């Protein structure tokens, strides 16, 4: 039978291991998510196919059969709804599950005339997220990039020797505010509704608010830092910016405000998150 001293030594060693394990888990960084349609959980909704294999990681992939007409897909939870264009070539697209865990509805619409759309099919699926912030760690239609995107590669280069999320956010912010320019000509001519162009903005080092917000989200998500692309208003101006999770709290990052000289007293009103 072991002595009291031996038992105490064993117990102390076990406690040390548990403490060390807890510290490792607590300090574990989130990882970037790279979407894939693995086909492990397929949901068919009329002519719409939903791959929900990785819904726990904050996204689904959806495609419709090839159509000659324009398509839209609507994703909702309760009274909250997001509507997206869907390609009519039968190709998968990534859609975020930014409304959190729970029951989702997905509806496919097809264009019938001018701006009128009719419901083609509707279904539902359940989601249990692995992380509360999962939807903001991967690319989607509004923050569209791949592992080979130049912005991702630059993110890896800038953050290679940095250890904290705050340092990485500062590096990306400095890189963008000192290396990009606001496109005043395009702002005056009016781009209308558009999706941020990460590759185009990165190549030209010039863009508008949604371009900058998409580039910043891309570069930070590639580092495993949850980053929202937010669309709403800065005072009365339609605008896009980022909310970045640092030390458990979202902090606003607005590259456009620096590049275009926004007033520091702007009132932000968020409408949608991607």
């Amino acid at each position: 039978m072991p002595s009291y001293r031996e038992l105490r030594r064993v117990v102390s060693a076990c406690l040390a291991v548990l403490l060390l394990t807890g510290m490792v888990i607590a300090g574990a960084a989130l990882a970037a998510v790279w979407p894939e349609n693995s086909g492990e959980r397929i949901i068919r909704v009329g002519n719409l196919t939903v791959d929900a294999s990785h819904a726990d990681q904050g996204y689904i992939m959806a495609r419709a059969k090839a159509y000659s007409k324009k398509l839209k897909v609507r994703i909702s939870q309760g009274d909250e709804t997001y509507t997206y264009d869907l390609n009519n070539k039968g190709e998968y697209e990534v859609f975020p599950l930014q409304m959190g865990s729970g029951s989702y509805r997905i509806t496919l619409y097809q264009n019938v005339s001018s701006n009128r759309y009719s419901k083609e099919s509707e279904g539902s699926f359940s989601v249990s997220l692995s992380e509360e912030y999962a939807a903001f760690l991967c690319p989607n239609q509004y923050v569209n990039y791949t592992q080979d995107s130049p912005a991702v590669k630059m993110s890896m280069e800038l953050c290679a020797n940095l250890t904290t999320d705050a340092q990485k956010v500062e590096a990306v912010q400095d890189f963008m505010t000192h290396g990009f320019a606001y496109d005043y000509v395009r702002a005056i001519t009016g781009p209308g509704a558009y999706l941020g162009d990460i590759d185009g903005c990165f190549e030209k080092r010039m863009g508008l608010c949604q371009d900058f917000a998409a580039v910043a989200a891309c570069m930070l998500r590639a580092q495993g830092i949850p980053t929202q692309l937010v669309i709403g208003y800065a005072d009365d101006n339609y605008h896009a910016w980022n909310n970045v999770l640092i030390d458990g709290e979202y902090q606003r990052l607005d590259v456009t405000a620096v590049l275009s000289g926004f007033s520091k007293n702007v009132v932000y009103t968020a409408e949608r998150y991607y």
Side-chain angles (χ1 to χ4, degrees), residues 75-145:
I75 300 173
S76 58
Q77 184 186 82
D79 295 329
E80 192 172 359
T81 297
Y82 285 81
T83 303
Y84 305 89
D85 289 328
L86 178 66
N87 74 81
N88 58 4
K89 301 176 182 178
E91 299 172 352
Y92 271 116
E93 290 192 71
V94 181
F95 299 99
L97 302 172
Q98 66 271 62
M99 292 172 277
S101 299
S103 179
Y104 280 74
R105 295 191 313 277
I106 186 165
T107 309
L108 175 66
Y109 294 87
Q110 63 175 320
N111 183 255
V112 290
S113 64
S114 186
N115 293 323
R116 293 180 59 247
Y117 284 77
S118 66
K119 181 190 295 187
E120 196 274 347
S121 54
E122 184 176 62
S124 62
F125 58 95
S126 61
V127 174
S128 179
L129 295 179
S130 59
E131 295 283 352
E132 178 185 354
Y133 318 106
F136 307 113
L137 285 167
C138 61
N140 59 51
Q141 192 178 91
Y142 278 72
V143 188
N144 193 3
Y145 60 93

Side-chain angles (χ1 to χ4, degrees), residues 182 208-210 212-213 239-241 254-262:
Y182 189 76
L208 299 179
C209 61
Q210 197 156 321
F212 297 141
H239 191 47
W241 64 94
D254 189 350
V255 172
T256 307
V258 178
L259 295 177
S260 64
F262 271 20

Side-chain angles (χ1 to χ4, degrees), residues 42 124 139 236:
I42 296 294
S124 62
D236 295 327

Side-chain angles (χ1 to χ4, degrees), residues 155 157-175 219-220 223 225 244-247 251:
S155 172
E157 181 180 329
L158 287 173
C159 302
N161 299 314
L162 304 180
T163 56
T164 69
D165 287 351
Q167 290 173 335
K168 295 174 182 179
V169 172
E170 184 178 3
V172 169
Q173 181 177 8
D174 286 348
F175 170 74
M219 296 182 75
L220 294 173
Q223 295 299 318
I225 301 174
V244 185
L245 191 72
I246 305 176
D247 297 329
Q251 298 183 21

